[in-house]
Structures are given as structure tokens and as C-alpha cells.
Amino acid sequence: MPNPSFIYNPPMSPYLSILYQDDDIVVANKPSGLLSVPGKAPAHKDALITRMQKVFPTATVVHRLDMATSGVMIMALNKPAHRYLSDQFASRQTQKRYFARVSGCMRQPSGMVDLPLICDWPNRPKQMVDHDKGKPSLTYYTVIRHSEHETLVALKPVTGRSHQLRVHMLALGHPILGDRLYADEHAKAAASRLQLHAQTLIIRHPTSHQWCHFVTPIPFTDYEPDPLTVPEYVDA
């Protein structure tokens, strides 16, 4: 099925939610429905980076979140910081944790999804599993709580492929609620927005080289997770 058409109507309040800022980085809580970077169409120019640059003109994008995904997003304020952060993301030194409400009751308490992904070109921007040409994609998951019809799950992506968490949950038979691209009609109608939130991001600071933890509350549940720790296998 092709990508369904939509009218871009980015949220305006709050216009910009800044979690942290210093001379090197600025961290924001991106709302669901706002692009990370501008689209090609004139109607899609409003984005987190354009809003940020009105306050911090030197801000540049280091990583992205899907338009429908909310949560922590970091930007660099100078070239050395951009290089330093980009290298961390490329070498998978950063730690990321998302939370999602998915359709159905996940019986397996935890596990991983190791399925290669590639763009479903005729239906772009959708992605799909392709064992021959797909890029390696790995996600760890832990069930937090569940009912008969839905599950709250913590997701830790190791790789950062486009739509990775959405396609991996779909591959398990548990599409994320409110997902207009991948969910069936029932799961799509179960929420007014995609129930996926980037709750934690841990990076090394470009200047101090100390670990920095940035977190935001999960907007679609009252669950309060314990802090995410830096694994021992990362040179902390």
C-alpha cells in the first residue's frame, strides 16, 4: 500500500521545548507531528531545525526522529561539536531508549529483532525487511506491562535505520498504535498519534567528554522508567 497522503499541520504549542543548552549543544523535546528537517515542498518548511535556528543560528542536525515520533533530539552549535557527536552516532557509542504502545499482548518478556531493512521504493518513505539487500538492523525490546489488547514496551535500537522500530514491531506482529504507515486499521485508529517516544539519549559531551543523560516524560503513559545506565562495554 502506498504512503497515504497527509496535510502537514505541525504543532505550534509549545513552539520550541528546549531541555538543555550550552556553548556546544542544544537539546530539544521534539513533539509528534513536527519534521526534524524541512521537506522539499514549501508547505513542509517548518521543522525543528528551522525553529531552533531562529534562536541558535549555528545549530546543525546530528541525528533525526521521524515526524510522527516525539522525544529527545540533540543538535550541535559548532563544527567541532558536530563532528564529535556525529562520530558517536556513527560508531554507536550513544545510548537510546524509546517507549511504545503496540497492538496486542506481547507474551515474550524480552528479546531482540535482527532483521535487515531497505526502502520500499514504490511505497517510499516506507521501509521493509529484505534479507538479500537490506542493511543490518538490530533492536532490543523489553515488555513493561500489557493487557489483552496492547503492550507498553521499551525499545533500544543498536542501529539507527529509518523507521526501524516501527518495522521491527510490525515484523513481530505488534504494530505501534497510531502508526498511519504500518498499522492495520484497528491499531491505526487506537491512537491519534504514533505511540512512539524517544525517552532517553546518552552522549559524551563534545568538550568535557563526560556522559550526559537527557530524558523526557513519556506523553502517552504514566509509567516512569528507571534511569538508563551506560553499559560496561562502552568505554565509560
Side-chain angles (χ1 to χ4, degrees):
M1 177 180 177
N3 176 23
S5 60
F6 77 102
I7 298 174
Y8 185 44
N9 186 27
M12 302 303 292
S13 180
Y15 185 75
L16 189 60
S17 178
I18 296 175
L19 302 174
Y20 176 83
Q21 180 263 326
D22 62 26
D23 291 339
D24 297 300
I25 61 175
V26 59
V27 183
N29 184 14
K30 189 189 84 66
S32 174
L34 179 66
L35 290 165
S36 292
V37 299
K40 293 181 180 180
H44 300 164
K45 294 304 180 184
D46 188 14
L48 182 61
I49 182 60
T50 54
R51 294 183 181 187
M52 190 69 77
Q53 287 174 342
K54 291 179 180 179
V55 183
F56 304 100
T58 62
T60 55
V61 172
V62 178
H63 68 123
R64 303 181 186 187
L65 295 176
D66 292 345
M67 181 189 72
T69 304
S70 58
V72 181
M73 190 167 156
I74 189 170
M75 298 182 182
L77 294 179
N78 53 64
K79 289 182 179 180
H82 186 98
R83 286 193 297 270
Y84 190 86
L85 292 172
S86 295
D87 287 345
Q88 286 186 66
F89 279 93
S91 61
R92 302 172 187 170
Q93 295 180 49
T94 59
Q95 301 297 309
K96 296 171 283 185
R97 180 172 61 181
Y98 294 68
F99 285 85
R101 289 172 60 216
V102 302
S103 178
C105 178
M106 296 182 69
R107 303 293 183 183
Q108 189 73 22
S110 63
M112 71 174 185
V113 185
D114 186 4
L115 293 172
L117 302 179
I118 194 172
C119 180
D120 183 1
W121 194 249
N123 299 316
R124 59 191 184 278
K126 293 178 74 173
Q127 309 291 309
M128 64 180 184
V129 175
D130 188 319
H131 292 280
D132 295 322
K133 300 180 181 179
K135 295 181 179 179
S137 306
L138 178 62
T139 302
Y140 289 95
Y141 68 88
T142 302
V143 169
I144 303 302
R145 60 192 183 198
H146 59 74
S147 65
E148 181 181 354
H149 302 293
E150 70 173 67
T151 301
L152 177 66
V153 60
L155 302 168
K156 295 180 183 179
V158 176
T159 51
R161 309 301 179 198
S162 180
H163 296 185
Q164 175 175 319
L165 302 179
R166 299 162 76 171
V167 178
H168 278 179
M169 291 298 98
L170 177 67
L172 291 181
H174 299 281
I176 298 176
L177 300 180
D179 192 339
R180 69 180 190 90
L181 286 181
Y182 299 101
D184 56 44
E185 291 303 317
H186 176 75
K188 187 188 305 182
S192 60
R193 54 150 289 187
L194 179 70
Q195 302 290 281
L196 179 62
H197 180 71
Q199 182 264 346
T200 298
L201 175 64
I202 303 176
I203 57 96
R204 277 193 191 275
H205 191 275
T207 300
S208 71
H209 299 171
Q210 296 298 308
W211 289 108
C212 297
H213 297 234
F214 303 107
V215 300
T216 57
I218 310 166
F220 44 76
T221 177
D222 59 1
Y223 176 71
E224 297 183 3
D226 292 331
L228 184 64
T229 58
V230 179
E232 293 182 359
Y233 61 80
V234 176
D235 180 18

PDB file of all heavy atoms in Angstrom, residues 32-51:
ATOM      1  N   SER A  32       5.500  15.160  18.516  1.00  0.00           N
ATOM      2  CA  SER A  32       4.976  14.360  17.411  1.00  0.00           C
ATOM      3  C   SER A  32       4.291  15.286  16.409  1.00  0.00           C
ATOM      4  O   SER A  32       3.587  16.223  16.793  1.00  0.00           O
ATOM      5  CB  SER A  32       3.978  13.331  17.937  1.00  0.00           C
ATOM      6  OG  SER A  32       3.358  12.635  16.877  1.00  0.00           O
ATOM      7  N   GLY A  33       4.533  15.043  15.131  1.00  0.00           N
ATOM      8  CA  GLY A  33       3.899  15.843  14.093  1.00  0.00           C
ATOM      9  C   GLY A  33       4.772  16.928  13.515  1.00  0.00           C
ATOM     10  O   GLY A  33       4.386  17.590  12.548  1.00  0.00           O
ATOM     11  N   LEU A  34       5.975  17.123  14.081  1.00  0.00           N
ATOM     12  CA  LEU A  34       6.905  18.123  13.577  1.00  0.00           C
ATOM     13  C   LEU A  34       8.081  17.443  12.888  1.00  0.00           C
ATOM     14  O   LEU A  34       8.700  16.541  13.455  1.00  0.00           O
ATOM     15  CB  LEU A  34       7.416  18.997  14.729  1.00  0.00           C
ATOM     16  CG  LEU A  34       8.427  20.089  14.363  1.00  0.00           C
ATOM     17  CD1 LEU A  34       7.780  21.149  13.475  1.00  0.00           C
ATOM     18  CD2 LEU A  34       9.013  20.715  15.620  1.00  0.00           C
ATOM     19  N   LEU A  35       8.386  17.864  11.672  1.00  0.00           N
ATOM     20  CA  LEU A  35       9.539  17.334  10.965  1.00  0.00           C
ATOM     21  C   LEU A  35      10.832  17.706  11.690  1.00  0.00           C
ATOM     22  O   LEU A  35      10.929  18.774  12.298  1.00  0.00           O
ATOM     23  CB  LEU A  35       9.594  17.894   9.540  1.00  0.00           C
ATOM     24  CG  LEU A  35       8.527  17.395   8.554  1.00  0.00           C
ATOM     25  CD1 LEU A  35       8.493  18.299   7.319  1.00  0.00           C
ATOM     26  CD2 LEU A  35       8.808  15.949   8.147  1.00  0.00           C
ATOM     27  N   SER A  36      11.823  16.828  11.601  1.00  0.00           N
ATOM     28  CA  SER A  36      13.144  17.155  12.149  1.00  0.00           C
ATOM     29  C   SER A  36      13.858  18.163  11.259  1.00  0.00           C
ATOM     30  O   SER A  36      14.503  19.097  11.742  1.00  0.00           O
ATOM     31  CB  SER A  36      13.999  15.885  12.277  1.00  0.00           C
ATOM     32  OG  SER A  36      13.481  15.014  13.263  1.00  0.00           O
ATOM     33  N   VAL A  37      13.758  17.956   9.947  1.00  0.00           N
ATOM     34  CA  VAL A  37      14.356  18.862   8.961  1.00  0.00           C
ATOM     35  C   VAL A  37      13.295  19.194   7.924  1.00  0.00           C
ATOM     36  O   VAL A  37      12.333  18.444   7.748  1.00  0.00           O
ATOM     37  CB  VAL A  37      15.592  18.226   8.290  1.00  0.00           C
ATOM     38  CG1 VAL A  37      16.670  17.928   9.328  1.00  0.00           C
ATOM     39  CG2 VAL A  37      15.221  16.957   7.535  1.00  0.00           C
ATOM     40  N   PRO A  38      13.428  20.306   7.215  1.00  0.00           N
ATOM     41  CA  PRO A  38      12.390  20.694   6.255  1.00  0.00           C
ATOM     42  C   PRO A  38      12.238  19.684   5.127  1.00  0.00           C
ATOM     43  O   PRO A  38      13.203  19.042   4.705  1.00  0.00           O
ATOM     44  CB  PRO A  38      12.897  22.039   5.717  1.00  0.00           C
ATOM     45  CG  PRO A  38      13.863  22.533   6.732  1.00  0.00           C
ATOM     46  CD  PRO A  38      14.491  21.316   7.323  1.00  0.00           C
ATOM     47  N   GLY A  39      11.007  19.554   4.640  1.00  0.00           N
ATOM     48  CA  GLY A  39      10.755  18.755   3.451  1.00  0.00           C
ATOM     49  C   GLY A  39      10.964  19.598   2.201  1.00  0.00           C
ATOM     50  O   GLY A  39      11.260  20.792   2.273  1.00  0.00           O
ATOM     51  N   LYS A  40      10.806  18.977   1.033  1.00  0.00           N
ATOM     52  CA  LYS A  40      11.044  19.686  -0.228  1.00  0.00           C
ATOM     53  C   LYS A  40       9.919  20.658  -0.557  1.00  0.00           C
ATOM     54  O   LYS A  40      10.150  21.718  -1.148  1.00  0.00           O
ATOM     55  CB  LYS A  40      11.219  18.667  -1.364  1.00  0.00           C
ATOM     56  CG  LYS A  40      12.473  17.816  -1.238  1.00  0.00           C
ATOM     57  CD  LYS A  40      12.603  16.847  -2.399  1.00  0.00           C
ATOM     58  CE  LYS A  40      13.870  16.001  -2.277  1.00  0.00           C
ATOM     59  NZ  LYS A  40      13.999  15.040  -3.412  1.00  0.00           N
ATOM     60  N   ALA A  41       8.692  20.307  -0.203  1.00  0.00           N
ATOM     61  CA  ALA A  41       7.549  21.156  -0.529  1.00  0.00           C
ATOM     62  C   ALA A  41       7.560  22.419   0.330  1.00  0.00           C
ATOM     63  O   ALA A  41       7.952  22.369   1.509  1.00  0.00           O
ATOM     64  CB  ALA A  41       6.254  20.390  -0.314  1.00  0.00           C
ATOM     65  N   PRO A  42       7.145  23.552  -0.226  1.00  0.00           N
ATOM     66  CA  PRO A  42       7.091  24.792   0.564  1.00  0.00           C
ATOM     67  C   PRO A  42       6.254  24.650   1.827  1.00  0.00           C
ATOM     68  O   PRO A  42       6.562  25.270   2.852  1.00  0.00           O
ATOM     69  CB  PRO A  42       6.463  25.796  -0.413  1.00  0.00           C
ATOM     70  CG  PRO A  42       6.811  25.268  -1.769  1.00  0.00           C
ATOM     71  CD  PRO A  42       6.785  23.777  -1.635  1.00  0.00           C
ATOM     72  N   ALA A  43       5.218  23.813   1.775  1.00  0.00           N
ATOM     73  CA  ALA A  43       4.346  23.621   2.937  1.00  0.00           C
ATOM     74  C   ALA A  43       5.024  22.833   4.055  1.00  0.00           C
ATOM     75  O   ALA A  43       4.495  22.757   5.166  1.00  0.00           O
ATOM     76  CB  ALA A  43       3.059  22.918   2.510  1.00  0.00           C
ATOM     77  N   HIS A  44       6.197  22.250   3.756  1.00  0.00           N
ATOM     78  CA  HIS A  44       6.894  21.402   4.726  1.00  0.00           C
ATOM     79  C   HIS A  44       8.185  22.055   5.233  1.00  0.00           C
ATOM     80  O   HIS A  44       9.105  21.359   5.664  1.00  0.00           O
ATOM     81  CB  HIS A  44       7.215  20.046   4.096  1.00  0.00           C
ATOM     82  CG  HIS A  44       6.004  19.293   3.647  1.00  0.00           C
ATOM     83  ND1 HIS A  44       6.077  18.221   2.781  1.00  0.00           N
ATOM     84  CD2 HIS A  44       4.689  19.459   3.932  1.00  0.00           C
ATOM     85  CE1 HIS A  44       4.859  17.758   2.557  1.00  0.00           C
ATOM     86  NE2 HIS A  44       4.001  18.502   3.255  1.00  0.00           N
ATOM     87  N   LYS A  45       8.254  23.368   5.191  1.00  0.00           N
ATOM     88  CA  LYS A  45       9.474  24.069   5.603  1.00  0.00           C
ATOM     89  C   LYS A  45       9.609  24.174   7.119  1.00  0.00           C
ATOM     90  O   LYS A  45      10.717  24.274   7.639  1.00  0.00           O
ATOM     91  CB  LYS A  45       9.515  25.465   4.967  1.00  0.00           C
ATOM     92  CG  LYS A  45       9.645  25.451   3.450  1.00  0.00           C
ATOM     93  CD  LYS A  45      10.878  24.668   2.991  1.00  0.00           C
ATOM     94  CE  LYS A  45      11.012  24.662   1.473  1.00  0.00           C
ATOM     95  NZ  LYS A  45      12.150  23.827   1.024  1.00  0.00           N
ATOM     96  N   ASP A  46       8.488  24.179   7.816  1.00  0.00           N
ATOM     97  CA  ASP A  46       8.553  24.270   9.273  1.00  0.00           C
ATOM     98  C   ASP A  46       9.107  22.967   9.828  1.00  0.00           C
ATOM     99  O   ASP A  46       8.598  21.876   9.536  1.00  0.00           O
ATOM    100  CB  ASP A  46       7.156  24.548   9.843  1.00  0.00           C
ATOM    101  CG  ASP A  46       7.190  24.842  11.330  1.00  0.00           C
ATOM    102  OD1 ASP A  46       8.277  25.091  11.884  1.00  0.00           O
ATOM    103  OD2 ASP A  46       6.095  24.816  11.952  1.00  0.00           O
ATOM    104  N   ALA A  47      10.162  23.048  10.630  1.00  0.00           N
ATOM    105  CA  ALA A  47      10.815  21.856  11.175  1.00  0.00           C
ATOM    106  C   ALA A  47      11.538  22.249  12.455  1.00  0.00           C
ATOM    107  O   ALA A  47      11.749  23.438  12.747  1.00  0.00           O
ATOM    108  CB  ALA A  47      11.809  21.274  10.172  1.00  0.00           C
ATOM    109  N   LEU A  48      11.932  21.230  13.221  1.00  0.00           N
ATOM    110  CA  LEU A  48      12.630  21.511  14.470  1.00  0.00           C
ATOM    111  C   LEU A  48      13.903  22.311  14.226  1.00  0.00           C
ATOM    112  O   LEU A  48      14.201  23.254  14.950  1.00  0.00           O
ATOM    113  CB  LEU A  48      12.944  20.209  15.208  1.00  0.00           C
ATOM    114  CG  LEU A  48      13.637  20.372  16.566  1.00  0.00           C
ATOM    115  CD1 LEU A  48      12.764  21.158  17.537  1.00  0.00           C
ATOM    116  CD2 LEU A  48      14.001  19.013  17.162  1.00  0.00           C
ATOM    117  N   ILE A  49      14.674  21.969  13.194  1.00  0.00           N
ATOM    118  CA  ILE A  49      15.928  22.669  12.952  1.00  0.00           C
ATOM    119  C   ILE A  49      15.677  24.125  12.571  1.00  0.00           C
ATOM    120  O   ILE A  49      16.402  25.024  13.010  1.00  0.00           O
ATOM    121  CB  ILE A  49      16.796  21.951  11.890  1.00  0.00           C
ATOM    122  CG1 ILE A  49      18.129  22.689  11.684  1.00  0.00           C
ATOM    123  CG2 ILE A  49      16.052  21.811  10.570  1.00  0.00           C
ATOM    124  CD1 ILE A  49      18.974  22.795  12.914  1.00  0.00           C
ATOM    125  N   THR A  50      14.658  24.427  11.784  1.00  0.00           N
ATOM    126  CA  THR A  50      14.387  25.811  11.400  1.00  0.00           C
ATOM    127  C   THR A  50      13.906  26.614  12.601  1.00  0.00           C
ATOM    128  O   THR A  50      14.257  27.796  12.749  1.00  0.00           O
ATOM    129  CB  THR A  50      13.364  25.885  10.267  1.00  0.00           C
ATOM    130  OG1 THR A  50      12.181  25.158  10.622  1.00  0.00           O
ATOM    131  CG2 THR A  50      13.922  25.283   8.991  1.00  0.00           C
ATOM    132  N   ARG A  51      13.124  25.998  13.465  1.00  0.00           N
ATOM    133  CA  ARG A  51      12.709  26.681  14.692  1.00  0.00           C
ATOM    134  C   ARG A  51      13.911  26.935  15.598  1.00  0.00           C
ATOM    135  O   ARG A  51      14.044  28.001  16.197  1.00  0.00           O
ATOM    136  CB  ARG A  51      11.660  25.854  15.432  1.00  0.00           C
ATOM    137  CG  ARG A  51      10.334  25.722  14.688  1.00  0.00           C
ATOM    138  CD  ARG A  51       9.304  24.941  15.516  1.00  0.00           C
ATOM    139  NE  ARG A  51       8.050  24.801  14.789  1.00  0.00           N
ATOM    140  CZ  ARG A  51       6.922  24.289  15.317  1.00  0.00           C
ATOM    141  NH1 ARG A  51       6.927  23.872  16.587  1.00  0.00           N
ATOM    142  NH2 ARG A  51       5.825  24.197  14.598  1.00  0.00           N
TER     143      ARG A  51
END
